[in-house]
């Protein structure tokens, strides 16, 4: 299950991977936003409720480009009889675009078997791990796209301390997922750049997501 300890074990560096996709909005536990259920590739205990399996996917920062975030303001504007502009604001919506170059087609040589308590794979930091941080490879990303025709949730880990309030303590949340957005896929494309011998291929992938 996703706990604070699991997410800590899954991050490779001081901060978690920038993006996590989830089938649920999760919960706020000990100041951390956590998805419910087990990650894709987790070593799930026998007898687990199937509805808790493959509930989220941690994306890799391996050769990922910048995350472009576009804010679209939905409003109706009209000039009044004296020429002054008047606006009726409906909502602000976000769209996200980024890409990977030469991303391994798989994160590990075989199923990662992430420990459900610690988040650590037995194949971590050896020749059977192919992405730099154990995040999803190309096939895992493509599978998520093909299995999600509708909306899902995206967790983002970047410096947006204002989501935690305006007190000084808000500045201490850099190492957490600090924004959760429900999104649809607007575009997903990939190309097979190089084919490996017997371990993995290298893919270029680009994605665009739009807020619900």
């Amino acid at each position: 299950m996703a706990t604070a300890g699991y997410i800590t074990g899954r991050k490779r560096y001081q901060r978690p991977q920038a993006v996590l996709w989830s089938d649920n909005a999760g919960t706020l536990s000990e100041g951390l936003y956590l998805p419910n259920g087990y990650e894709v590739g987790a070593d799930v205990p026998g007898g687990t409720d199937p509805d808790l399996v493959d509930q989220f996917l941690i994306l890799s920062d391996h050769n990922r480009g910048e995350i472009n975030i576009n804010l679209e303001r939905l409003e109706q504007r009209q000039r009044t009889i004296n020429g002054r502009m008047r606006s009726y604001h409906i909502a602000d919506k976000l769209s996200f675009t980024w890409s990977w170059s030469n991303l391994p087609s798989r994160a590990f040589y075989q199923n990662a078997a992430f420990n459900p308590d610690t988040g650590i794979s037995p194949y971590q930091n050896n020749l059977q791990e192919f992405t730099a941080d154990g995040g999803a490879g190309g096939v895992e990303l493509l599978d998520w796209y093909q299995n999600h025709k509708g909306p899902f949730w995206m967790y983002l880990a970047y410096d947006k301390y204002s989501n935690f309030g305006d007190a000084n303590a808000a500045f201490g949340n850099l190492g957490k997922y600090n924004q959760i957005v429900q999104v649809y896929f607007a575009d997903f494309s990939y190309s097979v750049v190089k084919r490996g011998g017997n371990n993995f291929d290298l893919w270029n992938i680009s994605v665009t997501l739009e807020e619900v």
Side-chain angles (χ1 to χ4, degrees), residues 140-154:
E140 292 96 342
L141 296 172
L142 179 59
D143 282 349
W144 187 275
Y145 169 74
Q146 293 176 329
N147 292 323
H148 288 80
K149 307 297 191 293
F152 59 94
W153 297 88
M154 179 167 65

Side-chain angles (χ1 to χ4, degrees), residues 170-186:
F171 291 82
N173 294 286
L174 197 60
K176 302 177 181 179
Y177 289 105
N178 52 46
Q179 186 174 14
I180 303 175
V181 186
Q182 193 176 23
V183 294
Y184 283 99
F185 278 112

Side-chain angles (χ1 to χ4, degrees), residues 18-66:
V19 184
L20 179 155
W21 290 341
S22 173
D23 279 332
N24 57 77
T27 57
L28 183 62
S29 175
E30 301 177 8
L32 292 172
Y33 290 107
L34 301 172
N36 297 321
Y38 292 93
E39 183 180 3
V40 175
D43 186 13
V44 179
T48 298
D49 184 344
D51 290 338
L52 294 176
V53 179
D54 294 346
Q55 286 296 293
F56 66 96
L57 184 70
I58 294 178
L59 279 57
S60 179
D61 289 332
H62 186 119
N63 286 347
R64 178 187 50 74
E66 68 272 15

Side-chain angles (χ1 to χ4, degrees), residues 159-166 170:
D159 189 13
K160 198 168 188 295
Y161 62 85
S162 57
N163 283 349
F164 294 91
D166 55 6

Side-chain angles (χ1 to χ4, degrees), residues 8-197:
T8 298
R10 284 290 284 115
K11 69 181 182 181
R12 192 58 51 85
Y13 307 107
Q14 290 183 323
R15 302 172 64 182
Q17 291 87 338
V19 184
L20 179 155
W21 290 341
S22 173
D23 279 332
N24 57 77
T27 57
L28 183 62
S29 175
E30 301 177 8
L32 292 172
Y33 290 107
L34 301 172
N36 297 321
Y38 292 93
E39 183 180 3
V40 175
D43 186 13
V44 179
T48 298
D49 184 344
D51 290 338
L52 294 176
V53 179
D54 294 346
Q55 286 296 293
F56 66 96
L57 184 70
I58 294 178
L59 279 57
S60 179
D61 289 332
H62 186 119
N63 286 347
R64 178 187 50 74
E66 68 272 15
I67 300 174
N68 297 302
I69 304 174
N70 181 60
L71 288 81
E72 180 183 7
R73 178 149 293 175
L74 304 178
E75 59 184 345
Q76 294 179 345
R77 290 183 180 181
Q78 186 177 15
R79 292 196 179 276
T80 61
I81 194 170
N82 66 358
R84 184 178 180 84
M85 181 71 76
R86 180 172 294 173
S87 172
Y88 175 71
H89 177 255
I90 301 170
D92 289 342
K93 293 295 181 179
L94 302 170
S95 62
F96 306 85
T97 303
W98 69 88
S99 62
W100 290 267
S101 60
N102 290 324
L103 177 70
S105 56
R106 60 181 73 180
F108 293 87
Y109 181 74
Q110 55 193 350
N111 193 304
F114 298 117
N115 184 291
D117 297 318
T118 66
I120 297 174
S121 168
Y123 315 112
Q124 181 173 309
N125 292 328
N126 64 36
L127 295 178
Q128 293 184 332
E129 182 181 34
F130 302 139
T131 56
D133 52 9
V139 175
E140 292 96 342
L141 296 172
L142 179 59
D143 282 349
W144 187 275
Y145 169 74
Q146 293 176 329
N147 292 323
H148 288 80
K149 307 297 191 293
F152 59 94
W153 297 88
M154 179 167 65
Y155 295 51
L156 296 169
Y158 69 103
D159 189 13
K160 198 168 188 295
Y161 62 85
S162 57
N163 283 349
F164 294 91
D166 55 6
N168 285 337
F171 291 82
N173 294 286
L174 197 60
K176 302 177 181 179
Y177 289 105
N178 52 46
Q179 186 174 14
I180 303 175
V181 186
Q182 193 176 23
V183 294
Y184 283 99
F185 278 112
D187 182 70
F188 186 103
S189 62
Y190 70 101
S191 59
V192 180
V193 182
K194 296 179 181 178
R195 295 187 302 144

